[in-house]
Amino acid sequence: MCNDGLTVLSLFDGMSCGAIALREAGIKIKQYFASEIDPQAIRQTQHNFPDSIQLGSVTEVKATDLPPIDLLIGGSPCQGFSFAGKQLNFNDPRSVLFFEYVRILREIQRYNPDVKFMLENVRMLKEHENVISCQLGIFPVMINSALVSAQNRVRLYWTNIRTRTVPHLFGEDVYADIPQPKDKGIFLSDILEKDVDRRFYLSQRQISHLIKLDFENAGSNDDTVSVINGQQYCVAFRGRLNPENGFNEQKPEIRTDGKTNTLTTVRKDNMIISCGYSDEPVRIISGSIDSRKSGVGFRPVMSGKGACVRASASHQSVCMLVQDGKIGLRHLTPTEWCRLQTIPDWYEWVCRESDIYRMLGNGWTVAVISHIFQFLKD
């Protein structure tokens, strides 16, 4: 690593999670070039990192116009690859932008064959993962953000920052050799705010709407009530629980009336309306509100981790609070999303709430990236 710092080129820079991670890893930056077209993301970057040099669209970036690059980073748009999307893969114009990353990497390698690079993307079909690996000349490491945060977020990282070579009959394969981060044992309950504005709570009407969609999706007109430890909870609820074991069991037992685990009772006096917690113990159940594609309703995350945050669904990650026989179902706040993505407190927001959700969903789990960047010091 250069004594006066690294010259970094960040493609698809977003809110500059790469710059955040470099600072958190204690790595000095000489110059930071950012390629981004979202005006709000650019605004965020320039507010927190005013020395960043914005380059605009990745299609207009030419490495020959820049000083020698020491580190190339980026997370090309993943919508075409994601199992949560339509899986258009390289037929999706957003995913084709990956080849812009390859083009720029090749341009840099012509004058700096030892340039370090890191590319992040979602889990995908193996055949498409292999296309990326072939283009970059390295196989990725898979890391789940759950090791360092309260969020389940499995991602692939192609990087030559630390590698290992495996010989075979026809030559050798190169693998990213980043060890798994140490499990910090952080759960959603550890990062929730204690005093949350009432607007984040689902209303009785919203819960009723969820239940209606749930039954339409299931094709049932039953008015069945699930009972957990004798209590009726008023949420549209899909999944299994074991409240006796803290809702974190991998193989929980179901407690229902024997017909269904969809909770359908909606009564105002059974809802938590207050925003803070009292001295009574609160059971916190992590989960998400799913779309029609996978069955409408609240789906618990049995590990106790938060659901993966997504740019296209700012209100999908939710939590259920159970207290003294009452329940509350609420969206996670922007602060809680920041904690899920391990954004440090010093990072300041200057944009609207909806933009915060979107950028965090598109962003990186900073603690994972910082863990990878630590090996730049070797």
Side-chain angles (χ1 to χ4, degrees):
M1 186 170 65
C2 301
N3 292 331
D4 57 349
L6 297 176
T7 300
V8 181
L9 173 55
S10 175
L11 306 179
F12 322 104
D13 185 61
M15 54 178 279
S16 283
C17 287
I20 301 172
L22 285 166
R23 179 180 293 187
E24 290 294 289
I27 296 173
K28 186 177 180 181
I29 300 175
K30 181 180 180 180
Q31 285 184 298
Y32 189 92
F33 293 93
S35 173
E36 180 55 58
I37 60 173
D38 177 6
Q40 293 304 317
I42 293 172
R43 182 185 176 204
Q44 278 297 137
T45 293
Q46 297 308 122
H47 177 79
N48 288 276
F49 304 100
D51 293 332
S52 297
I53 302 171
Q54 294 290 335
L55 302 177
S57 172
V58 66
T59 60
E60 304 298 323
V61 174
K62 295 182 179 179
T64 53
D65 296 336
L66 304 174
I69 300 298
D70 301 308
L71 175 64
L72 174 68
I73 60 176
S76 57
C78 63
Q79 289 89 342
F81 298 120
S82 175
F83 289 114
K86 298 180 180 179
Q87 296 184 55
L88 297 175
N89 302 302
F90 291 109
N91 293 321
D92 190 307
R94 296 166 295 185
S95 297
V96 171
L97 290 173
F98 156 73
F99 293 104
E100 293 295 326
Y101 182 100
V102 175
R103 172 184 65 81
I104 294 169
L105 176 61
R106 296 284 184 269
E107 292 177 1
I108 298 171
Q109 287 174 329
R110 291 191 186 104
Y111 66 77
N112 181 10
D114 298 322
V115 62
K116 299 300 182 183
F117 65 84
M118 192 276 295
L119 176 77
E120 176 264 7
N121 218 304
V122 297
R123 281 188 298 178
M124 61 189 73
L125 294 174
K126 199 67 177 180
E127 60 187 282
H128 300 113
E129 177 187 322
N130 288 338
V131 170
I132 295 177
S133 298
C134 182
Q135 290 288 326
L136 297 179
I138 195 166
F139 291 95
V141 60
M142 182 182 293
I143 300 176
N144 190 343
S145 298
L147 291 171
V148 295
S149 75
Q151 174 192 193
N152 274 317
R153 190 182 188 86
V154 179
R155 293 293 184 266
L156 298 173
Y157 300 91
W158 288 263
T159 180
N160 66 345
I161 291 175
R162 188 173 188 261
T163 63
R164 61 184 173 89
T165 302
V166 178
H168 54 76
L169 183 62
F170 303 102
E172 59 184 27
D173 291 328
V174 181
Y175 291 82
D177 192 30
I178 303 296
Q180 295 294 308
K182 182 179 178 181
D183 190 347
K184 296 183 178 180
I186 306 172
F187 295 95
L188 183 69
S189 58
D190 298 320
I191 61 94
L192 293 181
E193 295 188 88
K194 296 300 182 183
D195 189 13
V196 176
D197 192 278
R198 186 172 298 183
R199 65 191 176 88
F200 289 100
Y201 282 78
L202 272 70
S203 66
Q204 181 179 356
R205 180 178 180 181
Q206 289 172 313
I207 292 174
S208 298
H209 181 64
L210 272 179
I211 294 166
K212 179 182 177 182
L213 292 177
D214 185 27
F215 278 104
E216 287 177 355
N217 187 70
S220 171
N221 293 318
D222 293 341
D223 186 20
T224 308
V225 176
S226 288
V227 180
I228 301 178
N229 282 355
Q231 297 293 339
Q232 296 179 349
Y233 297 139
C234 49
V235 293
F237 179 38
R238 292 181 173 275
R240 296 171 180 264
L241 292 177
N242 185 349
E244 298 173 352
N245 291 312
F247 300 96
N248 290 335
E249 297 294 318
Q250 293 298 322
K251 297 180 179 179
E253 299 294 331
I254 189 169
R255 298 283 297 271
T256 72
D257 63 352
K259 293 183 64 177
T260 179
N261 62 334
T262 300
L263 303 174
T264 61
T265 300
V266 180
R267 296 191 326 209
K268 187 173 182 179
D269 59 354
N270 264 11
M271 295 185 67
I272 297 176
I273 302 299
S274 61
C275 301
Y277 302 158
S278 70
D279 293 334
E280 293 292 327
V282 178
R283 285 176 174 151
I284 298 169
I285 310 169
S286 170
S288 63
I289 296 176
D290 281 354
S291 64
R292 287 181 179 273
K293 179 179 178 181
S294 54
V296 177
F298 174 87
R299 300 180 68 88
V301 177
M302 289 306 169
S303 64
K305 298 285 186 175
C308 181
V309 297
R310 300 174 184 173
S312 59
S314 63
H315 290 157
Q316 187 165 30
S317 295
V318 296
C319 70
M320 184 196 299
L321 309 176
V322 181
Q323 181 181 37
D324 192 27
K326 299 179 181 180
I327 71 97
L329 188 63
R330 70 169 177 83
H331 308 306
L332 301 185
T333 68
T335 295
E336 290 163 345
W337 271 47
C338 285
R339 292 171 180 173
L340 291 177
Q341 288 286 55
T342 62
I343 305 299
D345 292 339
W346 54 258
Y347 189 89
E348 296 180 350
W349 292 99
V350 293
C351 62
R352 297 174 303 178
E353 188 174 276
S354 59
D355 291 320
I356 294 175
Y357 281 122
R358 177 173 52 80
M359 280 185 263
L360 287 169
N362 280 327
W364 290 338
T365 305
V366 168
V368 173
I369 307 302
S370 180
H371 168 74
I372 295 172
F373 288 166
Q374 289 287 345
F375 296 94
L376 286 167
K377 300 176 180 179
D378 294 348

